Amino acid sequence: MIASLPMYDRPETASALDRLWVNFRDAWPGAPAGLTRDGNPWNHWRHSELLLSQTCGLPYRARLHGSVQLVGAPVHDLPCLEGRYFSTIIVRADDNRTTLAEFAGTRPAINDSLSQSGWAALEAKAREDGFHFFEPVITGSHAASAHAIANRVADIAAIDAVSWKYIKEFDGLEAALKEIGHTRPTPALPYITAKTQDARKVFDTLRNAIQNLEDADRRLLCLKGLARVHARDYLELPMPAALSRIPSRKCSS
């Protein structure tokens, strides 16, 4: 079996995620001793013996939903419904523009073309305002997107609200950036398991593992519990424009 929790896994949160896994592992006979952190997450998500992982809503609905089971969605310490999250729209602190529409024609920083929070949510918000973004800067991570804006490589980005919490707390960029809005809440990053696993048992074990964390770890992980969600909660969301049809460039900083 294999287990990985690649979302929100950074040096400052790694130990808390390890303790979350220990709580799960100790209640599941034969579970892997530790989390798998090496390699491509897609290989973890598609592994025939996947016990537990977490993916993004867009990869789930675009490529994974037919080959994995949905376990549940995290309940974050965020001002939205349980099992939901949103993105914070950020720009440089010295930029005088204050609305998304004023950034039509500018360069957005996008962590990945298959990111719900970094691309699909931003594109949906722009579409509501009557425009589309072009020439996105592909950065590879939310933290790299924040740095791209601070370093004037890009002009605007949508950052997963939990990732934004970490960027403000740990990356020293809060003074260089400011918030100008939020995207609509959507189902939070889903936990998944292989088709061969008992998804209900995985849900119960993970819920208990979260509940048994120390308060400090739950606060650090911005994690309050586990919500039941349905595949349709993700599948009903609109697909964003494919970046293959939009000129883009890699971040050079």
Side-chain angles (χ1 to χ4, degrees):
M1 286 188 287
I2 183 173
S4 69
L5 294 173
M7 304 301 175
Y8 311 126
D9 189 6
R10 50 182 293 158
E12 298 87 356
T13 62
S15 294
L17 285 172
D18 285 339
R19 287 187 285 271
L20 173 62
W21 176 246
V22 167
N23 287 353
F24 185 103
R25 179 200 68 194
D26 289 351
W28 193 288
L35 293 169
T36 296
R37 287 185 162 96
D38 297 332
N40 188 330
W42 284 97
N43 295 333
H44 307 165
W45 297 333
R46 289 171 165 159
H47 199 287
S48 61
E49 296 186 2
L50 176 67
L51 177 55
L52 178 67
S53 191
Q54 187 178 26
T55 185
C56 178
L58 184 49
Y60 173 75
R61 71 179 185 272
R63 297 181 183 176
L64 293 172
H65 70 91
S67 58
V68 301
Q69 294 186 88
L70 185 62
V71 173
V75 177
H76 290 301
D77 187 12
L78 296 173
C80 55
L81 295 176
E82 290 191 351
R84 302 260 164 169
Y85 81 141
F86 56 86
S87 298
T88 302
I89 300 174
I90 63 167
V91 301
R92 279 185 298 279
D94 61 2
D95 197 312
N96 292 327
R97 291 168 288 190
T98 59
T99 66
L100 182 66
E102 292 177 278
F103 285 84
T106 63
R107 300 160 299 174
I110 296 172
N111 57 316
D112 190 276
S113 62
L114 275 177
S115 171
Q116 171 61 34
S117 55
W119 174 231
L122 180 65
E123 198 228 15
K125 186 74 170 174
R127 193 164 56 243
E128 290 176 6
D129 282 9
F131 72 96
H132 295 278
F133 281 109
F134 294 95
E135 297 190 6
V137 178
I138 311 301
T139 66
S141 71
H142 281 303
S145 292
H147 279 280
I149 295 170
N151 293 327
R152 301 182 182 276
V153 176
D155 301 300
I156 189 170
I159 307 292
D160 173 317
V162 177
S163 297
W164 178 234
K165 168 183 178 289
Y166 296 141
I167 290 167
K168 289 190 294 182
E169 187 170 355
F170 301 124
D171 291 350
L173 293 175
E174 189 170 11
L177 303 169
K178 67 179 180 182
E179 304 175 16
I180 64 164
H182 303 89
T183 64
R184 292 184 182 275
T186 57
L189 281 66
Y191 294 106
I192 58 173
T193 190
K195 287 283 193 178
T196 55
Q197 301 293 346
D198 183 339
R200 291 185 179 182
K201 183 180 177 182
V202 175
F203 178 95
D204 291 339
T205 306
L206 179 58
R207 179 182 57 190
N208 292 338
I210 294 170
Q211 291 175 346
N212 291 332
L213 278 173
E214 296 291 336
D215 289 345
D217 282 341
R218 281 199 300 270
R219 285 194 298 271
L220 177 60
L221 296 176
C222 198
L223 189 57
K224 297 170 62 178
L226 186 64
R228 296 191 185 278
V229 287
H230 300 282
R232 65 175 178 271
D233 296 332
Y234 297 92
L235 300 180
E236 288 176 349
L237 295 174
M239 293 295 292
L243 289 186
S244 61
R245 301 199 301 268
I246 299 176
S248 63
R249 59 192 179 94
K250 293 288 185 179
C251 181
S252 59
S253 63

